[in-house]
Amino acid sequence: MIGLISATAAGAAARDRLAAAWPDRTRVYDGPVGDAVRRAFAECEQLVCFLATGAVVRLVAPLLNDKASDPGVVCVDEGGRFAVSLVGGHGGGANELAREVGELLGAEPVVTTATDAAGVPGLDTLGLPVEGAVAAVSRALLDGEPVALHNDSRWPLPPLPVAPEGTYGIRVTDRLVEPSGQEVVLRPPTLVVGVGASRGAPSAEVLELIEGSLREAGLSPRSVAALATVDAKAGEPGIVEAAGRLGVPLVTYTAEELAAVEVPNPSDAPLAAVGTPSVAEAAALLGGGELLVPKRKSTASPAMATCAVVRRPARGRLAVVGLGPGARDLLTPRARAELRRASVLVGLDQYVDQIRDLLRPGTRVLESGLGAEEERARTAVEEARRGQAVALIGSGDAGVYAMASPALAEASDDIDVIGVPGVTAALAAAAILGAPLGHDHVSISLSDLHTPWDVIERRVRAAAEADLVVTFYNPRSRGRDWQLPKALAILAGHREPATPVGVVRNASRPDESGRLTTLAALDPATVDMMTVVTVGNTATRDIAGRMVTPRGYRWQTSEEGSK
């Protein structure tokens, strides 16, 4: 929860804007400001104070305890010009909150954390439990001192300025090792603990078994990603409470799923009780991985719990990112975050140039020219399979005539794939034209480089007969100058010559141009590959110079009835 505190009318107005935008995330604290800050500090994970920074410093200074547990505090000035990350930039999430508040209120986020200022990922912001000398190693990274990275699990990380050897070190491991005074240990979530238990098994017995098994195997409990069991035990209090104490989810499988898993230590007891010869080992192994701890029983008499531990292999990460039509303010925050997270960027050279300044220092860029789409897709998947965090970029939405299809055709289930939507050219063009996509519509690419023309023509005819608004991508190039006239002729067989047609070139870019014409008047020679052509349906109208397709046909009927 985010506590909101203000002292003036202007501050209250900005506070209320945040409260309205984030009703489930925020709580307004009224009353004397000092009391409000103290209550919010004790009850909330984060605070946004619409007060002077000096006043907030004096109010929160006596309340500060530990950077790992103190809430993040953001200050917004009276004029709403700046959102200052004041306390808990990383641990309390104040840096990211300042950016969110700034975006919502139109304020400039002010983040002074050294790693953020230098573009180096904070070691305590990587989403992994962290131990050791975070401040010392972070300072070494910032000062350019050699910091060695030992990534035992090949966990995908953002770019870090590391060296093969160094006085300082970063170790990514699930092994139970103590960091030295010049080392940071990051705990990847690689371990799955399968658990079986008799009815009424005490949580203390379950937890002692799990923790003891991990300790004896030299494994860190902070790398446990989940507990797993049979669905018949989904509500078993001892298992549920153990998962809660470890802070991990409880994953359940059916007896049929578990029975299909080959295990080294099957037993008749679970087969009779829940319908599978193995619970602990099978539940741990079901997602694949290496069995590190075979089935063990608790030491209680009688033993009421069993567990097994599996290490899942680290999975590379492929984010397929849509950059939007070109304008920086149409690049989504999620896309920005994925660009910052990637250690490897793969993309068309001209698209890389659009966002190169957003990449972290050290990001490896693999760029190529037009016509190498399949090569880029293969490269991105191969890099992800090597355990990298990869961003594969495309214009507009990466799933629309872009890189998502060839990438997913190459990818198997051994990597994680994340789709990041972007604003498509059709949507950007439609916003310029008015509201041409107000009713059913279709997008068709006129490029026959990968699709036979007879297939394209059949689709155009279907759209014409169905009276759909049609947006043409890749309408005309120097080597393909007859496809657009042919497609327009097909539509003209089903629509009036006065049907509105929108032509937009370089939507959202500095040399953007848009115009409204008609099906009869459009000159295909004025169109190129940077153009999107949108042809209206029989209901589309030119209203005050804007292309509008109504959501329904009632006003069309009313219009015709009034003639």
Side-chain angles (χ1 to χ4, degrees):
M1 187 62 66
I2 302 171
L4 305 180
I5 301 102
S6 63
T8 65
R15 176 203 68 192
D16 292 344
R17 286 176 61 191
L18 273 191
W22 299 338
D24 299 327
R25 297 177 60 190
T26 57
R27 180 186 303 158
V28 173
Y29 285 80
D30 293 317
V33 169
D35 292 341
V37 168
R38 283 188 288 272
R39 285 187 289 123
F41 199 92
E43 297 170 1
C44 297
E45 292 81 20
Q46 295 173 319
L47 281 70
V48 179
C49 299
F50 297 86
L51 305 164
T53 54
V56 178
V57 167
R58 285 190 292 273
L59 288 170
V60 302
L63 309 176
L64 297 176
N65 180 42
D66 180 77
K67 65 183 295 183
S69 58
D70 289 336
V73 180
V74 170
C75 276
V76 179
D77 67 290
E78 183 77 5
R81 295 176 298 169
F82 303 103
V84 182
S85 174
L86 188 67
V87 172
H90 285 166
N95 291 352
E96 184 57 34
L97 180 59
R99 296 185 183 100
E100 288 188 82
V101 170
E103 184 174 351
L104 184 63
L105 299 181
E108 180 72 22
V110 179
V111 176
T112 58
T113 309
T115 50
D116 291 77
V120 176
L123 297 176
D124 51 355
T125 66
L126 301 180
L128 302 177
V130 59
E131 303 167 13
V134 175
V137 175
S138 296
R139 173 52 56 192
L141 289 172
L142 292 169
D143 290 345
E145 297 187 41
V147 177
L149 173 65
H150 304 284
N151 193 346
D152 297 351
S153 66
R154 297 176 63 200
W155 194 262
L157 297 172
L160 292 165
V162 292
E165 297 181 358
T167 305
Y168 295 87
I170 300 169
R171 183 178 299 278
V172 186
T173 183
D174 56 21
R175 305 298 302 178
L176 194 58
V177 297
E178 287 293 328
S180 69
Q182 295 176 311
E183 185 181 44
V184 163
V185 174
L186 299 171
R187 301 295 188 188
T190 53
L191 305 178
V192 176
V193 181
V195 182
S198 302
R199 179 173 298 180
S203 62
E205 180 177 343
V206 176
L207 195 60
E208 182 181 354
L209 172 64
I210 294 171
E211 292 179 338
S213 298
L214 292 168
R215 184 170 55 253
E216 291 178 27
L219 301 170
S220 172
R222 301 190 77 186
S223 280
V224 174
L227 299 192
T229 191
V230 65
D231 57 5
K233 297 295 180 180
E236 186 65 43
I239 298 177
V240 172
E241 186 173 335
R245 293 280 297 276
L246 290 168
V248 299
L250 176 61
V251 180
T252 62
Y253 303 105
T254 66
E256 291 76 14
E257 289 175 307
L258 297 181
V261 179
E262 186 175 341
V263 297
N265 300 292
S267 172
D268 292 335
L271 180 61
V274 293
T276 173
S278 172
V279 173
E281 287 181 338
L285 284 166
L286 189 56
E290 177 187 4
L291 184 63
L292 302 179
V293 179
K295 182 177 70 174
R296 293 185 50 171
K297 293 184 179 180
S298 55
T299 57
S301 183
M304 300 184 72
T306 61
C307 83
V309 182
V310 163
R311 175 186 286 140
R312 298 259 174 96
R315 295 165 63 88
R317 191 175 192 278
L318 173 61
V320 187
V321 181
L323 300 180
R328 181 58 62 85
D329 60 352
L330 292 181
L331 178 68
T332 67
R334 188 179 301 178
R336 287 173 180 262
E338 289 295 344
L339 295 175
R340 301 282 286 174
R341 178 171 182 163
S343 58
V344 179
L345 182 88
V346 182
L348 179 67
D349 47 14
Q350 62 189 35
Y351 298 152
V352 171
D353 289 341
Q354 290 179 22
I355 49 81
R356 199 183 297 272
D357 63 301
L358 298 179
L359 305 177
R360 289 191 187 276
T363 303
R364 186 155 53 95
V365 177
L366 305 176
E367 54 188 310
S368 53
L370 287 169
E373 289 84 1
E374 293 180 355
E375 177 188 341
R376 285 195 292 275
R378 283 193 297 270
T379 297
V381 171
E382 288 168 1
E383 290 291 334
R385 286 185 177 137
R386 294 189 183 106
Q388 300 293 331
V390 182
L392 174 62
I393 59 173
S395 67
D397 182 279
V400 179
Y401 304 122
M403 293 306 301
S405 294
L408 269 61
E410 292 284 338
S412 52
D413 62 358
D414 58 345
I415 62 173
D416 293 325
V417 179
I418 297 90
V420 182
V423 178
T424 68
L427 296 179
I432 294 165
L433 295 170
L437 308 183
H439 208 285
D440 297 336
H441 54 274
V442 62
S443 295
I444 298 176
S445 171
L446 295 183
S447 172
D448 56 359
L449 295 178
H450 300 287
T451 306
W453 174 253
D454 61 334
V455 174
I456 297 173
E457 183 173 335
R458 186 166 67 248
R459 292 171 180 172
V460 175
R461 290 188 185 280
E465 293 170 0
D467 197 27
L468 298 173
V469 175
V470 182
T471 297
F472 288 124
Y473 280 71
N474 306 313
R476 184 176 181 273
S477 68
R478 292 176 182 175
R480 296 185 302 99
D481 59 0
W482 58 268
Q483 287 89 343
L484 179 59
K486 177 66 174 177
L488 295 174
I490 293 171
L491 292 176
H494 297 266
R495 301 180 192 183
E496 295 295 326
T499 299
V501 175
V503 181
V504 177
R505 189 176 190 278
N506 283 335
S508 88
R509 300 186 183 186
D511 56 346
E512 166 191 294
S513 64
R515 58 191 174 90
L516 194 57
T517 182
T518 65
L519 190 55
L522 174 62
D523 180 4
T526 63
V527 172
D528 62 13
M529 285 289 286
M530 305 303 293
T531 306
V532 172
V533 177
T534 301
V535 181
N537 66 9
T538 55
T540 305
R541 296 289 183 269
D542 177 345
I543 301 176
R546 302 181 184 92
M547 188 175 178
V548 180
T549 303
R551 291 184 60 189
Y553 287 88
R554 283 180 296 179
W555 73 245
Q556 181 187 13
T557 304
S558 301
E559 181 184 83
E560 291 173 348
S562 65
K563 291 180 181 178

